[in-house]
Amino acid sequence: MVRGPDEVEVRLRVNGSIRKMFIEPRVSLLDALRDRLDLHGTKKGCNQGACGACTVWVDRRRVLACLTLAISCENREITTIEGLADGDTLHPMQQAFLDADAFQCGYCTPGQIMSAVALLSEGHAGDDDEIREWMSGNLCRCAAYPHIRRAIRRVRDEQGGERASH
């Protein structure tokens, strides 16, 4: 079935809730989250897939929301930074970023945290070189990388190894 080019109804499961909107099929997941669902935690950095500021999970896998069409995410589970905390209790990685001072301006922080949690669940946190490699898609203009790695190591060590659930 062809949908578009005009607006079509799209239903997205975001952070456990079904959200309905009318968008053109060319709308990115990033723009749908920010402009239609008022979820502003996911940041628009380069809008070209080069910086990682827009990292979210689709079916528990890291994706760049600026390069993903919202319509392609129907019937899939989308998790944004707003979906990590449990009520007022921060996710351990969010708390570790605060404790390790793993940000300065904070603009890249949501994407960094989403990638960091996924990195642990993927088992890619054996040492700093591996962490650096698997986080290389997330840029920090403030160069807080040593603190970001410290936060990741802390959560890894607290959760007993390379793998951590999200």
Side-chain angles (χ1 to χ4, degrees):
M1 173 171 70
V2 176
R3 296 172 72 189
D6 297 323
E7 287 189 348
V8 297
E9 182 179 59
V10 175
R11 293 172 187 243
L12 300 178
R13 179 181 296 278
V14 181
N15 300 327
S17 298
I18 299 291
R19 307 287 299 270
K20 182 176 80 170
M21 68 192 86
F22 289 89
I23 57 173
E24 293 177 0
R26 65 183 177 90
V27 171
S28 71
L29 179 58
L30 175 61
D31 289 339
L33 292 170
R34 292 182 58 79
D35 299 341
R36 302 299 177 106
L37 301 180
D38 293 324
L39 294 170
H40 299 127
T42 304
K43 302 300 183 208
K44 184 180 279 195
C46 67
N47 210 31
Q48 298 175 344
C51 73
C54 66
T55 303
V56 298
W57 304 333
V58 176
D59 293 337
R60 296 195 173 264
R61 295 186 61 171
R62 296 186 257 184
V63 301
L64 298 171
C66 72
L67 297 181
T68 305
L69 293 176
I71 198 168
S72 73
C73 296
E74 284 188 304
N75 303 313
R76 300 174 77 189
E77 180 62 38
I78 301 160
T79 307
T80 69
I81 191 72
E82 291 91 348
L84 280 187
D86 183 12
D88 290 336
T89 303
L90 294 178
H91 183 280
M93 189 65 72
Q94 290 172 307
Q95 188 62 55
F97 264 64
L98 286 171
D99 295 344
D101 196 23
F103 54 89
Q104 288 182 30
C105 78
Y107 198 82
C108 72
T109 304
Q112 295 278 359
I113 290 172
M114 296 302 288
S115 279
V117 174
L119 165 111
L120 289 177
S121 70
E122 296 161 359
H124 298 300
D127 59 25
D128 274 5
D129 288 337
E130 188 175 25
I131 292 169
R132 186 178 297 109
E133 177 67 24
W134 287 90
M135 290 292 292
S136 65
N138 291 84
L139 302 180
C140 174
R141 292 186 175 145
C142 300
Y145 298 115
H147 301 278
I148 291 167
R149 287 191 299 275
R150 182 180 319 134
I152 293 169
R153 286 192 312 267
R154 175 181 151 189
V155 175
R156 176 200 65 197
D157 295 347
E158 287 176 355
Q159 296 184 351
E162 291 184 33
R163 293 187 67 78
S165 64
H166 41 254

